Amino acid sequence: MSDDLHIEPTVRLTSVDENTTILEKDLDTEHMLVQMGPQHPSTHGVLRVELLTDGEVIVKATPHLGYLHRCFEKHAENIDYPGIIPYADRMDYLASMNNDLGFAVTMEKLMGIEIPERIDYMRIIVSELNRIASHLVAVGTYAIDLGAFTPFLFCFRDREHILNLLEWLCGARMLYNYIWIGGVSHDFPPKFKERVLEFVRYFKPKAREIYRLLTENEIFVQRTRNIGLLPADVAINAGASGPMLRGSGVKWDLRRNDPYSLYHELEFDIAVPDGKASVIGDCLSRHLVRAIEIEESLKIIEQCIDKMPDDPNFDPHATVPKRVKPKAGEIYGRTEAPRGELGFYVVSDGKGTKPYRCKARSSCFVNLSLLGEMAKGQYLADVVAIIGSIDIVLGEVDR
Amino acid sequence: MQHLALAELNSWSNALADLGIVGLLIIPAIPLVFIAVYALYYGVYGERKVSAFMQDRLGPMEVGKWGLLQTIADILKLIHKEDIVPKAADKFLFVIGPAILFVGAFSAFAVLPYSSAFIGADLNVGLFYAISIVSLEVVGILAAGWGSNNKWSLYGAIRSVAQIVSYEIPAATALLCAAMMAGTLSMQGMILEQAGPKGFLDWFLFQSPIAWLAFIVYFISSLAEVNRAPFDIPEAESELVAGYFTEYGGMKFAIIFLAEYASMFMVSAIITVAFLGGWLSPLPNIGSLALNDWTNGPIWGVFWMLSKSLFFVFVQMWLRWTLPRLRVDQLMFLCWKVLIPFAFLAFTITAFWEIYVGRW
């Protein structure tokens, strides 16, 4: 073949042997770079995903973070320990109680504070309530991502009851500052336990309804089944946790595997999909894990209310240290937040009331790093389904 | 019954046409006013209320009694807005897009029979005209999406064109079943063919053992043709921001919305005419109770036509707030591998039925 032959860039030459060359007209389309976010309805906040697309198919997806970075770690170095808790609230703002619990448990481990049993049960009740609220948001917004608007509002209707309960408890609806180092800010108000039980009774059928509303919807299943597959080994190697890891079939829940507070005394199952309705590791599995966890949390709350000792002269501040000044040392405490392992690494130099270093290990951040892995080769619409199934809260991703 | 209808057929529109230029202006003004009122109240306000009741909410309640003036307030807000054309947009296409959309949707109303006595133009190819002029919208959508110079809009436009063009095949095939049963493409002619003392039993839906299949195929395809859920992929708000009208604001956006509601009504009207007897009363004559004769007539016709069509608009809203959205490949799968074979099946059986049995 002569060299002066004009060849279009879309034409591919394949030499079969020295005499034969096949001219192939390529059907390959040009790649297009699309910026998804930071202002996009389904990136759940200010996430920017750089998508390289070939038509509707994703070639590469790169999440870009940092739009909601608020210097949690640097702030923490400049305030005393109890003051960090309101900052921790604002990390995963949908599950503030769980953040508080994580930090409080870490600090108590560092300082060796023993807290009364009643406080432990109170903490578990509120953080499980908060876990349900957080999962309701996750399930609801996931439905919205897939175009079903109504389940979202059903979820928010029920979440409202939880927010009302927690508002009654500590005055705030989302950012509670309720769990303190060594205690809690307020005792349960009178009749609070009854109201929580009332809610549990009300919500049990609703939890089933939410489970059925989406998992029995053929279109929903088609949109999520076998989409965004995450094999268990990849999930473990990347350090994924929470529903992401359990969705891949790994039975790992810090409440069981590394118990803190009083979780070792409570009966509940680790939610893993059975692989009947979903393919293990797909978006539907992760969704199912959340739906099942809601029911498990209800079980935990019921047990806690049964076991919680009543004490009329109870002082929630009895074990709260007057001055939090830990000895020199370092600690890593981890808890199972709704979105996965939330860890706090605190270094104290022993000289002051402020930490020398405070690092937060965010579950969403790690989980989000798997987006590119999962989105590759999927359709554009599936990226939305995958981001939704990771259930990110940008406040925690960026901190 | 049939001769009665024939006597009054198109009598109002003919009388208007005899008035000369004024009458000829009034005829198109009637559907225009109708679209505006319907979109304002049934379309926007109604949809918000319907969705609210499905979702345990109240919907608009602040402006006016039960929020009745909410849509007016929205329109006022939209009129106040600055008419923005993005700098990088193709100005001509950007402006012409919504216009084509609206013209396409509105032109179809020319052959829509509101009642036995009123129709814009009783074309002998009315049905054909309606489904072809509605597909003019594709051009508007493509112009809007391309002209916006936004990648999301382009995605929306391309998806939309692929979707509308594909779904026209099952839709048209399903409508052909009705046309075969009627033996005419004229809208009024099709309705007259369904007239009879048995009321709803004389409608095409019940006149052949396979008409229900054509009816369902057409209904599903019509949802896709007007980009309603679960086929609202071109404007999929969670994926494509707002699809082909991402860059639009103010009145241009309102025009696009108006066009969408107009085509929602149009496909509902076509389904009513083709399968459910148009402006005919559903009530049968039972012995001496001549319910069918009593409830037929020009005025009753308006009532039946609108209530049947608006019911299907309601069903569209109902689906919108119930179902998640399909993915683009699943949508195409549904069209080419499910609906088209079934449409052809319905077509073939209807053809044989019409040859060997006809009306029962």
Side-chain angles (χ1 to χ4, degrees):
Chain A
M1 188 152 293
S2 58
D3 286 338
D4 56 330
L5 186 73
H6 172 69
I7 298 168
E8 285 175 40
T10 52
V11 172
R12 192 168 48 209
L13 298 175
T14 319
S15 300
V16 177
D17 53 58
E18 33 197 334
N19 297 324
T20 327
T21 306
I22 296 175
L23 250 171
E24 268 182 288
K25 182 90 174 146
D26 222 337
L27 275 177
D28 218 21
T29 43
E30 253 179 78
H31 289 177
M32 182 159 86
L33 187 71
V34 190
Q35 303 287 351
M36 190 173 174
Q39 275 84 37
H40 187 278
S42 52
T43 49
H44 294 227
V46 279
L47 167 70
R48 178 161 70 91
V49 187
E50 211 176 76
L51 298 172
L52 196 62
T53 58
D54 178 6
E56 288 262 349
V57 181
I58 304 299
V59 180
K60 199 173 167 218
T62 326
H64 288 258
L65 320 170
Y67 292 91
L68 203 58
H69 185 55
R70 290 150 304 168
C71 312
F72 165 77
E73 290 169 14
K74 194 66 198 166
H75 271 305
E77 287 169 23
N78 293 304
I79 36 180
D80 49 6
Y81 291 98
I84 294 174
I85 286 186
Y87 282 90
D89 267 340
R90 282 153 180 79
M91 279 171 47
D92 179 354
Y93 43 78
L94 292 179
S96 298
M97 286 292 186
N98 298 73
N99 300 356
D100 294 354
L101 181 67
F103 188 72
V105 165
T106 310
M107 285 312 293
E108 282 150 18
K109 221 155 78 173
L110 180 64
M111 298 173 69
I113 301 174
E114 286 287 321
I115 58 165
E117 209 181 32
R118 183 180 157 90
I119 286 186
D120 263 332
Y121 281 122
M122 284 164 72
R123 285 176 170 187
I124 292 176
I125 290 172
V126 290
S127 56
E128 291 304 321
L129 276 176
N130 209 198
R131 184 189 308 276
I132 295 173
S134 163
H135 279 339
L136 280 176
V137 177
V139 170
T141 50
Y142 195 36
I144 273 206
D145 287 343
L146 299 178
F149 201 84
T150 304
F152 168 74
L153 283 147
F154 284 6
C155 289
F156 265 55
R157 174 195 64 197
D158 295 334
R159 174 175 178 257
E160 198 62 23
H161 294 296
I162 299 178
L163 295 191
N164 286 341
L165 280 173
L166 295 180
E167 185 186 6
W168 182 28
L169 178 65
C170 60
R173 286 171 62 81
M174 279 181 82
L175 308 164
Y176 309 107
N177 188 18
Y178 178 70
I179 298 176
W180 287 358
I181 301 168
V184 289
S185 70
H186 302 80
D187 191 8
F188 278 177
K191 298 257 185 207
F192 185 79
K193 271 162 61 175
E194 286 78 4
R195 288 291 162 80
V196 172
L197 266 183
E198 221 170 81
F199 167 76
V200 170
R201 270 197 301 275
Y202 155 83
F203 188 61
K204 265 193 175 162
K206 301 276 179 199
R208 274 326 290 173
E209 187 187 276
I210 287 163
Y211 182 86
R212 289 211 334 270
L213 196 63
L214 289 172
T215 44
E216 286 184 7
N217 186 320
E218 186 58 35
I219 300 179
F220 180 83
V221 172
Q222 272 194 23
R223 281 297 306 276
T224 52
R225 197 168 189 273
N226 216 353
I227 300 295
L229 275 179
L230 180 67
D233 57 332
V234 179
I236 293 171
N237 286 342
S241 51
M244 278 278 275
L245 187 62
R246 291 194 282 278
S248 296
V250 184
K251 264 200 161 186
W252 178 263
D253 188 327
L254 290 174
R255 290 174 293 175
R256 268 275 173 274
N257 298 78
D258 184 10
Y260 51 94
S261 201
L262 283 176
Y263 276 110
H264 55 275
E265 288 186 4
L266 300 165
E267 292 267 328
F268 64 98
D269 297 324
I270 301 177
V272 277
D274 54 6
K276 278 180 201 150
S278 62
V279 179
I280 299 285
D282 62 355
C283 290
L284 184 57
S285 300
R286 295 191 273 277
H287 164 76
L288 287 180
V289 167
R290 293 198 183 92
I292 301 168
E293 265 183 19
I294 290 178
E295 292 176 36
E296 295 299 326
S297 289
L298 288 175
K299 267 198 239 165
I300 296 177
I301 294 171
E302 273 183 331
Q303 292 171 42
C304 287
I305 288 180
D306 276 352
K307 291 187 176 176
M308 195 172 124
D310 269 322
D311 181 1
N313 303 318
F314 173 71
D315 176 13
H317 298 174
T319 45
V320 175
K322 293 279 169 295
R323 192 150 175 267
V324 185
K325 194 178 173 189
K327 286 195 218 73
E330 57 178 21
I331 187 94
Y332 178 71
R334 52 182 186 172
T335 52
E336 184 75 25
R339 285 167 185 77
E341 174 179 336
L342 176 69
F344 286 97
Y345 174 67
V346 183
V347 183
S348 161
D349 54 5
K351 288 177 202 153
T353 55
K354 296 169 185 168
Y356 178 74
R357 174 87 172 93
C358 175
K359 182 192 163 23
R361 187 264 189 211
S362 142
S363 48
C364 297
F365 176 76
V366 180
N367 292 351
L368 183 61
S369 68
L370 284 160
L371 173 65
E373 191 92 25
M374 290 190 284
K376 208 170 172 181
Q378 305 278 5
Y379 286 97
L380 185 66
D382 294 334
V383 175
V384 173
I386 293 168
I387 294 179
S389 78
I390 299 175
D391 183 23
I392 44 170
V393 165
L394 265 296
E396 196 191 341
V397 174
D398 292 340
R399 279 156 289 151
Chain B
M1 165 60 220
Q2 197 145 345
H3 64 274
L4 265 178
L6 279 172
E8 74 209 9
L9 193 64
N10 304 341
S11 54
W12 295 351
S13 37
N14 287 343
L16 276 171
D18 289 341
L19 287 176
I21 190 78
V22 181
L24 289 178
L25 281 175
I26 293 176
I27 292 177
I30 289 172
L32 193 62
V33 170
F34 168 74
I35 295 177
V37 171
Y38 141 82
L40 216 61
Y41 273 97
Y42 198 79
V44 179
Y45 179 77
E47 172 142 34
R48 289 172 78 170
K49 280 293 185 190
V50 165
S51 66
F53 289 132
M54 283 181 192
Q55 297 166 345
D56 265 7
R57 308 185 276 124
L58 290 173
M61 289 297 278
E62 293 295 322
V63 192
K65 182 88 175 157
W66 307 307
L68 273 169
L69 298 177
Q70 180 68 49
T71 341
I72 311 264
D74 288 347
I75 297 266
L76 279 178
K77 182 197 78 174
L78 286 170
I79 290 174
H80 281 177
K81 286 209 168 175
E82 188 188 346
D83 191 28
I84 297 169
V85 178
K87 224 179 207 169
D90 183 329
K91 194 165 184 225
F92 176 70
L93 288 180
F94 189 80
V95 174
I96 204 82
I100 298 178
L101 264 170
F102 186 71
V103 167
F106 177 56
S107 307
F109 280 73
V111 292
L112 179 67
Y114 283 92
S115 129
S116 52
F118 185 84
I119 185 169
D122 191 5
L123 288 185
N124 55 356
V125 287
L127 187 68
F128 176 66
Y129 168 82
I131 56 176
S132 36
I133 201 82
V134 165
S135 38
L136 192 65
E137 284 187 25
V138 174
V139 182
I141 289 174
L142 198 57
W146 181 265
S148 301
N149 200 5
N150 175 322
K151 286 168 182 170
W152 297 112
S153 304
L154 186 62
Y155 264 122
I158 300 293
R159 281 180 177 190
S160 181
V161 171
Q163 170 180 336
I164 295 181
V165 170
S166 315
Y167 271 86
E168 257 159 26
I169 300 167
T173 316
L175 284 181
L176 267 181
C177 298
M180 276 194 297
M181 294 167 85
T184 171
L185 282 170
S186 149
M187 295 284 228
Q188 296 283 41
M190 286 180 81
I191 298 176
L192 284 178
E193 284 294 317
Q194 303 178 52
K198 292 204 291 285
F200 68 91
L201 285 174
D202 279 316
W203 296 350
F204 285 156
L205 183 57
F206 305 103
Q207 278 297 321
S208 127
I210 201 70
W212 60 271
L213 183 61
F215 171 78
I216 290 171
V217 167
Y218 181 70
F219 181 66
I220 295 175
S221 330
S222 71
L223 287 179
E225 271 199 81
V226 296
N227 299 336
R228 287 296 288 189
F231 309 112
D232 55 344
I233 292 167
E235 55 204 60
E237 77 273 357
S238 58
E239 298 151 25
L240 301 184
V241 190
Y244 60 88
F245 55 85
T246 305
E247 297 285 347
Y248 285 89
M251 273 321 274
K252 289 206 196 75
F253 170 76
I255 293 283
I256 290 177
F257 244 71
L258 205 58
E260 186 185 318
Y261 281 114
S263 11
M264 269 169 77
F265 184 82
M266 194 58 217
V267 292
S268 307
I270 290 177
I271 211 171
T272 308
V273 168
F275 294 103
L276 297 172
W279 33 259
L280 290 167
S281 160
L283 302 173
N285 282 340
I286 306 164
S288 58
L289 280 173
L291 287 173
N292 188 267
D293 296 346
W294 298 341
T295 53
N296 263 323
I299 309 276
W300 277 105
V302 177
F303 170 73
W304 292 123
M305 182 71 200
L306 291 188
S307 41
K308 286 175 198 171
S309 308
L310 292 181
F311 171 74
F312 279 100
V313 177
F314 167 74
V315 175
Q316 290 181 7
M317 293 174 184
W318 184 5
L319 289 174
R320 162 94 173 78
W321 297 106
T322 309
L323 294 177
R325 184 182 305 118
L326 286 167
R327 209 173 52 210
V328 75
D329 57 320
Q330 292 163 348
L331 178 94
M332 289 299 169
F333 177 89
L334 182 68
C335 175
W336 291 101
K337 297 194 177 166
V338 180
L339 290 181
I340 289 183
F342 276 119
F344 283 155
L345 181 74
F347 180 79
T348 318
I349 295 178
T350 312
F352 280 111
W353 180 265
E354 286 306 308
I355 292 170
Y356 295 110
V357 184
R359 291 172 73 97
W360 49 21

